[in-house]
Amino acid sequence: MVVAVLMPEVVALGEPLVQFNAVTDGPLRHVTYFEKHATGTEANVCVALVRLDVSCGLITRLGADEFGLFIYNWLRGESVDVSHVKFDPERPTGIYFVQRNYPIPGVSDVLYYRRGSAASALGPDDVDPDYVSGARVFHTTGITMAISDTARSAAFKYLEVARSKGVTTSFDVNYRRKLWANVDDAINVLSKALNFADIVFLDEDEANLLLGISAIDDVLRELRSKFGINRAVLKLGLKGSVAYWEGRIVKVDAFRVPVKDPIGAGDAYAGVFLASILRGHDVEKAMRRASAAAAMVVMVRGDEENLPREDDLRRFLEGYGRQVDLR
Amino acid sequence: MVVAVLMPEVVALGEPLVQFNAVTDGPLRHVTYFEKHATGTEANVCVALVRLDVSCGLITRLGADEFGLFIYNWLRGESVDVSHVKFDPERPTGIYFVQRNYPIPGVSDVLYYRRGSAASALGPDDVDPDYVSGARVFHTTGITMAISDTARSAAFKYLEVARSKGVTTSFDVNYRRKLWANVDDAINVLSKALNFADIVFLDEDEANLLLGISAIDDVLRELRSKFGINRAVLKLGLKGSVAYWEGRIVKVDAFRVPVKDPIGAGDAYAGVFLASILRGHDVEKAMRRASAAAAMVVMVRGDEENLPREDDLRRFLEGYGRQVDLR
Amino acid sequence: MVVAVLMPEVVALGEPLVQFNAVTDGPLRHVTYFEKHATGTEANVCVALVRLDVSCGLITRLGADEFGLFIYNWLRGESVDVSHVKFDPERPTGIYFVQRNYPIPGVSDVLYYRRGSAASALGPDDVDPDYVSGARVFHTTGITMAISDTARSAAFKYLEVARSKGVTTSFDVNYRRKLWANVDDAINVLSKALNFADIVFLDEDEANLLLGISAIDDVLRELRSKFGINRAVLKLGLKGSVAYWEGRIVKVDAFRVPVKDPIGAGDAYAGVFLASILRGHDVEKAMRRASAAAAMVVMVRGDEENLPREDDLRRFLEGYGRQVDLR
Amino acid sequence: MVVAVLMPEVVALGEPLVQFNAVTDGPLRHVTYFEKHATGTEANVCVALVRLDVSCGLITRLGADEFGLFIYNWLRGESVDVSHVKFDPERPTGIYFVQRNYPIPGVSDVLYYRRGSAASALGPDDVDPDYVSGARVFHTTGITMAISDTARSAAFKYLEVARSKGVTTSFDVNYRRKLWANVDDAINVLSKALNFADIVFLDEDEANLLLGISAIDDVLRELRSKFGINRAVLKLGLKGSVAYWEGRIVKVDAFRVPVKDPIGAGDAYAGVFLASILRGHDVEKAMRRASAAAAMVVMVRGDEENLPREDDLRRFLEGYGRQVDLR
Amino acid sequence: MVVAVLMPEVVALGEPLVQFNAVTDGPLRHVTYFEKHATGTEANVCVALVRLDVSCGLITRLGADEFGLFIYNWLRGESVDVSHVKFDPERPTGIYFVQRNYPIPGVSDVLYYRRGSAASALGPDDVDPDYVSGARVFHTTGITMAISDTARSAAFKYLEVARSKGVTTSFDVNYRRKLWANVDDAINVLSKALNFADIVFLDEDEANLLLGISAIDDVLRELRSKFGINRAVLKLGLKGSVAYWEGRIVKVDAFRVPVKDPIGAGDAYAGVFLASILRGHDVEKAMRRASAAAAMVVMVRGDEENLPREDDLRRFLEGYGRQVDLR
Amino acid sequence: MVVAVLMPEVVALGEPLVQFNAVTDGPLRHVTYFEKHATGTEANVCVALVRLDVSCGLITRLGADEFGLFIYNWLRGESVDVSHVKFDPERPTGIYFVQRNYPIPGVSDVLYYRRGSAASALGPDDVDPDYVSGARVFHTTGITMAISDTARSAAFKYLEVARSKGVTTSFDVNYRRKLWANVDDAINVLSKALNFADIVFLDEDEANLLLGISAIDDVLRELRSKFGINRAVLKLGLKGSVAYWEGRIVKVDAFRVPVKDPIGAGDAYAGVFLASILRGHDVEKAMRRASAAAAMVVMVRGDEENLPREDDLRRFLEGYGRQVDLR
């Protein structure tokens, strides 16, 4: 069988991970069973896109092991283009564990085993200018900037290529303290990345880290003035989200739902936001749809299972708040 | 062993189903484990009654298979009279799957495999006038009207016999869009059924469907004027329930609890309401007890496990809202 | 993203099913939890093939429901070509339940809910001569012959087309008593199918049903003389398997392993046998590899999870019987 | 509803227990999950009988607690006559825990919490001569003799009444070291009980305990000469079973199956043996059927779930040893 | 290996229990799986203390069975001093079952099997004046007073010794209706115990039982005037807690969290409060930390798993209410 | 609390690991749930020893994370001396995953995440001559030699110290291909280690690797002549084990049991063998006891749960092969 893959609309670069999510709450010492999920911030964005029928390809490296195969089959099953996924015979697939609701209720802790992973060997050899050139959007995040020097180089190279080819660049700051040797490195690199970003996603802590300010209007203005960013989404957690979008400021509330595991909310937001923009929704509707998706994924363990298809999204938006009746 | 069954106080007609409830939330694609429960709207009402020591018999057909035996033993174990349950050697027991909290938080979706089920072959042969004549109440629902032409005939026949023998008829509208070929059929049949009903249970959507109106007072008045119904309970979901009861309008609040699966709430309400009325409680108390039972069953998967015994009901009503102390 | 699918080496026709396998042994009445798996005899064969890097496409219909999506994503994830899978908006995806080790130890019982399924609507419209013409092998089974008249027509049409285009036809008798209205129908149809088959898989009971004989040599001779079949594999359960292959009779032992669920063994055998023949192994080696795969899949619930990749197969064949050491 | 229960064919006396069976093997220290089952030697016999359509009633006492209700509903669901089950408001339902495969492979250990249980208060008040008089067989075991002085009195009283009314008495020695203060008490009481028994079930250890001998022929002769027992079944574990039956000695092999938990095998044997004799099978066939049932129940956790219905028994006997085929 | 244990800072006396917590909510009749945990009010306090690096030893008796070993290893693993734990070869380890959220939402029911347990045989022989003399605090509760006469004697003896040696005595009233023959006994004994207590923990119901009053100020005054108690903590459930502490009244709010099982909250409170006081925190801070710990443990099944280490406590107090962000 | 630990009889050096064992069989791709266990070859030996009341201390390093705490508490709970366990604030605790029964029946595969683990930083600083000098035996394995250069140095240093102080050295070759850069390194290092070993455990493959021969007598002679080893145990898997012990050759059969996971068998053997020798059993009895323990642990997931206490061992040896009786 010969399969000729033509260009996906979105191309993303980053590390998928196997997530082992604690079946019961509390400190992992006392957790006996763990549930396996396919995750990773850019992979999550890809699945969010394809669920809404926006084609997406992921550039990455996986271990040539059972966990690598698991992720590969999962992504292919979801119809993410895996033509640019390579298997590394030496390095393992990155994994992590999730501790839920402890010590802080509603917050999850992660324990990574990703140092030296297959994806940390991403580098110049993985840059395929043709692949990204055919896309409408290139997406990566601050996590890819953090996992290794070579991965960072690849990320910057892709941003450059995308820019030069007129492909929109999308960047989620995704600052993870545990992945950086020190905070200054993170600030330097992430700031540099902002210079290449057309669309930026960040939260208040990240704004404060990179800009030293936290008032919403200031943040949006500073992103514009300092980095020339005209399309930024600031995520405010339960307070909702606010965007500066080509001259306009839009604010949207969050949907409150019972939270099982908040991990993956930001990726659901970014992916559904991008898909909605690409499908011609205005920014406010895109934000509302993105907020809905974020709410949907935090209701379960795993980041991708609850990413909505178009019909699910419609039903959520129509049915949310229509509370249980006595049928 | 000879067992001479004398007449149960309540006789119900309808299809029990095996429910396979998703162990984890989200779209069923991603659910790996399913939990088996005995359910079915009229069976639920029967169990609600017998838990409160009101005898009840169910007229139905089950497949001569493991799932039929499961339901049969379950009902018999609960002390529902199963003398009028027949086994069909050809047709399978009806089943369905429950998807929880997706896409709408707090709402469950169902996926039926009941077409051509044993109970869909219920028909004229299953009508035993003697059995219903000895009862105080006959109960059926709009679901039995929907599953097949023969089941519908049997239901109308039973309503007629009950009426002619002075047995109170109880009817829960239970409109399920998926079970009707088209909406008009449903409206015609369900409206016709209202003409035979002494006690009616319905919710706002059903009122709107059948009467084209939704204001509470209008609904209750219309039921009276159009169908001569003097005993109607309108379920309003989280807003509670309101009854028109022999000239009097009574409103009762709902009890708010964490919802695991809302399915079965209406049946718990109807069953406990009927039991309470039969045991001489006034309508307001009956509604309050019914609301409590509805709240109890939505806290777990499965429709019947949490149906209260008298002592449980008392403790709920006394203890509800007495929140967790630091013992 | 445009995906141009070129021709898979093998094309199969048949119904995938969602299998709900009992987590605990014994009669299903007493089983509380069920585990979901993607199965179906022809789908199993497809996955067996692609695991060994032989491309395969499945022609089928699925319900436009969560279970249909589950199977679709699963097959696509395994890299089965799903370009010829259609979704039926009305009919549900076929499902079945598995009861293990009861009442007969080591044997599983099935309870089907597949009547009126999406795949039962397979028919003339689903015949795409171009698709099969490009393949080296077309595979279907007696189950597809049994599920509906239209599916049977499609199957025969595909067999005819394949023959006329010089595509090798492979047929697994797969007689399932529960799927046929009566035994005579089965005999007539399955016998007719043998006339179109280049490669045939059958077991002793099936041989007895179709030929009225059971001695191995007689069966193989009769297949040849009566149906002109020069490539037949007779599966003998724990006694192994024997093939008549272009003039030669080959016998291979079975591998004995602890059995969790025997369902799927025959499909593993057929799929790995075909893959091995297509990759140039001689018939004895193909049988040995097929027997290994059959042993592997019976050790777990589910039919496809344990289908081996090339390296797994090699390790099984080298390591089988090298028993546990005290490491 | 009035239910007039007429006389069951078999009446049994003894304590049902809730069994908490370890989900994983090994010492209970390290077992995290336990699975609840309804058991108890005489209750097991009752369920074995009713599954084969021989009516049976159990005389016992249960705690007025959730575990008592669980057993009560379970037995009623199985159609055991529960008209002679009383609830004790003070004493709890007896329970026990099962440790499997440790330290001896294939053997289970039990940890009882039954001292002071509701059933230990069985006594003279529970003797209803009319109930037993209408039966064909009265059955009890050495466990009922051991749990308390009052239960023992009740057991002897019932044996006397049965004998005096011409009801066949059936006694399973069921010696449990943990339930007796000392061995001599056990020998005295159990020997006395043999004097009242028409049919006796025992194993080699019990024979040795009570008779001081173990050679099969000697045991059967001694039972006859010393206690006048003409119908005795000696269970030999994997070696099968041998009966002295009204002058004839019959030996039957055991069926070998993978053992999950051997507890309940003897009860399955006794119950199915009695049912078979009552239904007119000869002793050899009864033994063969009893052996099959014993094999069936040891394949799962729980004692009663796998007790066979007539059709299951037939299929086991026909299908046993017909090993897995490659379907 | 010789281990010389020097004196722990806190010594506690009481019965550890194995808790079997229902995996699913609702009446235990319908619960199939139970999860094993090590608990017991004084054991819980010990673990709360050692998690915060305050050494603690527990004086108790365990059955010489698997459950006794389980608790012993658990406590030793947590670094509770087990030098004064004895094994009883005759009596079993006490156990109990937990029913959650039924019939009252948010409240758990317990079903004890602890009568005649190993710990009920605690008595004068278990009093080791040297052990308690070296401690800073001796802690016991009203449960130890209730389980047997001998345990009660031991408790009073320890209180006396502690007082006479200048060791601070801490007493949690812990009134459990099910453990007392009648209410008057409880009042007499518990009131007597208050005379020996330097620090007292109680809730509103207990205040009402022992003092006949419930207004907070009155309770605290009465404890002082009647029993000379200058250090009392009154737990008010969701309303928080209030202390009279050496002349000062302090009130602290509770932390609201989703409750899975409220059992163990009071023990977490007492243990963390004592630890905090011993480590020099002022009473308000100790109460706040204790409230945090109480909130943490009710979020899971089991009483001890979620008891916080110092760092966990700090993170909870800083992060509580910082709700889920869209990362 | 001051705890003065005096010298354990055995001191071991090596890396404990958290094992995530697949709940279901087959390739890990398809495994959803994983069960957590505390393992590691030397830790396993320690627990084997303390279960038989031989005191043992483990020298190691753990990550200052939840998994490190889990192992620490587990070992302390089992009464392993943890006074020489250090926590590393930077490096994680080593972990691995276990795939069972695939692709080779009865054999487990492991997937390590231990590179750069806390224990890999074991080194010269961890050598405490006083600690080992007080012991009777020092034990380590080829795995400690393989995990890092520093760990290897520490191991050799301990072997030297032990030898110089007259402490018996015990060495299990434990060759793990995945942990060595190349085979030659392994041969060099492991051969060197043999020079320091008084007691050696190895299997046939390891003998072949290090000595180039496999005939039992040759292996034992060569160990003696080349390395001066007078106490060697050669493990032969299901064929049993053979020892050369101070001039005598002893052979012992293996116990055959159903295998769930063979990992840990060798450690059980070594630990129970050493304990038995230290307690004065002769070599044949020690081997028989060691074989029993090896059989016990392979019957469950996890390496340490089924390690026997003295009474368990006695019961296994008496009861093994006494097959299930029909009680």
Side-chain angles (χ1 to χ4, degrees), chain D residues 173-188:
Chain D
V173 174
N174 262 346
Y175 171 65
R176 296 285 180 275
R177 180 64 192 89
K178 291 183 183 177
L179 300 179
W180 293 92
N182 59 69
V183 178
D184 286 345
D185 279 8
I187 293 172
N188 290 339

Side-chain angles (χ1 to χ4, degrees), chain E:
Chain E
M1 182 169 56
V2 179
V3 179
V5 178
L6 301 191
M7 296 308 174
E9 285 184 81
V10 179
V11 162
L13 171 77
E15 177 170 34
L17 294 159
V18 182
Q19 175 190 93
F20 293 93
N21 204 308
V23 169
T24 45
D25 288 5
L28 293 189
R29 254 167 299 160
H30 299 303
V31 171
T32 302
Y33 292 98
F34 291 84
E35 194 177 83
K36 183 169 115 273
H37 296 271
T39 65
T41 178
E42 295 90 355
N44 293 348
V45 166
C46 285
V47 173
L49 286 157
V50 298
R51 288 262 171 105
L52 294 170
D53 293 321
V54 176
S55 60
C56 183
L58 182 67
I59 302 153
T60 196
R61 286 172 173 268
L62 294 167
D65 49 35
E66 285 291 326
F67 293 152
L69 284 170
F70 164 61
I71 287 172
Y72 188 79
N73 283 11
W74 169 270
L75 292 175
R76 184 167 54 182
E78 293 291 333
S79 103
V80 173
D81 177 37
V82 292
S83 61
H84 284 65
V85 177
K86 296 176 187 165
F87 284 95
D88 186 319
E90 299 299 328
R91 296 179 186 81
T93 305
I95 68 170
Y96 69 119
F97 293 84
V98 177
Q99 171 174 299
R100 293 182 297 109
N101 283 313
Y102 189 87
I104 309 174
V107 175
S108 293
D109 264 19
V110 299
L111 183 51
Y112 291 127
Y113 284 83
R114 69 194 299 182
R115 195 167 296 174
S117 71
S120 73
L122 277 167
D125 289 359
D126 298 298
V127 180
D128 173 359
D130 291 345
Y131 192 54
V132 73
S133 303
R136 295 177 60 191
V137 174
F138 171 75
H139 177 80
T140 194
T141 80
I143 290 176
T144 305
M145 303 285 179
I147 56 174
S148 73
D149 291 349
T150 55
R152 186 184 308 159
S153 303
F156 276 111
K157 187 70 191 162
Y158 265 112
L159 287 170
E160 280 172 39
V161 172
R163 278 262 167 137
S164 73
K165 301 288 185 181
V167 177
T168 299
T169 57
S170 163
F171 185 72
D172 189 331
V173 173
N174 261 347
Y175 171 66
R176 296 286 181 273
R177 180 64 191 89
K178 291 183 183 178
L179 300 179
W180 293 92
N182 59 70
V183 178
D184 285 346
D185 279 9
I187 294 172
N188 290 338
V189 172
L190 296 173
S191 298
K192 183 178 158 200
L194 289 186
N195 287 308
F196 288 91
D198 296 317
I199 299 175
V200 166
F201 301 89
L202 79 173
D203 66 21
E204 291 168 291
D205 288 346
E206 291 164 345
N208 208 37
L209 177 83
L210 298 185
L211 305 172
I213 51 177
S214 58
I216 293 174
D217 289 350
D218 296 348
V219 168
L220 297 176
R221 189 177 340 101
E222 194 86 350
L223 283 172
R224 204 159 62 242
S225 64
K226 201 161 167 185
F227 300 100
I229 294 169
N230 283 308
R231 286 176 281 173
V233 178
L234 184 59
K235 295 168 292 181
L236 309 170
L238 287 178
K239 291 173 293 178
S241 55
V242 60
Y244 177 83
W245 204 259
E246 296 164 353
R248 189 177 155 218
I249 290 189
V250 183
K251 174 137 183 24
V252 162
D253 288 339
F255 293 91
R256 298 214 164 210
V257 294
V259 176
K260 194 153 274 165
D261 177 13
I263 297 177
D267 304 328
Y269 191 105
V272 172
F273 182 86
L274 290 175
S276 303
I277 292 293
L278 285 168
R279 283 298 168 267
H281 294 290
D282 69 27
V283 67
E284 183 170 351
K285 188 144 179 227
M287 291 167 76
R288 211 169 123 71
R289 287 161 56 92
S291 299
M296 291 167 101
V297 302
V298 302
M299 293 182 70
V300 291
R301 295 188 289 262
D303 304 358
E304 303 185 1
E305 284 80 357
N306 269 22
L307 287 167
R309 305 173 76 227
E310 191 62 44
D311 188 55
D312 300 329
L313 203 47
R314 180 188 58 71
R315 289 183 61 201
F316 179 97
L317 289 166
E318 288 171 15
Y320 176 81
R322 231 198 99 170
Q323 288 151 312
V324 54
D325 65 329
L326 298 175
R327 55 178 173 159

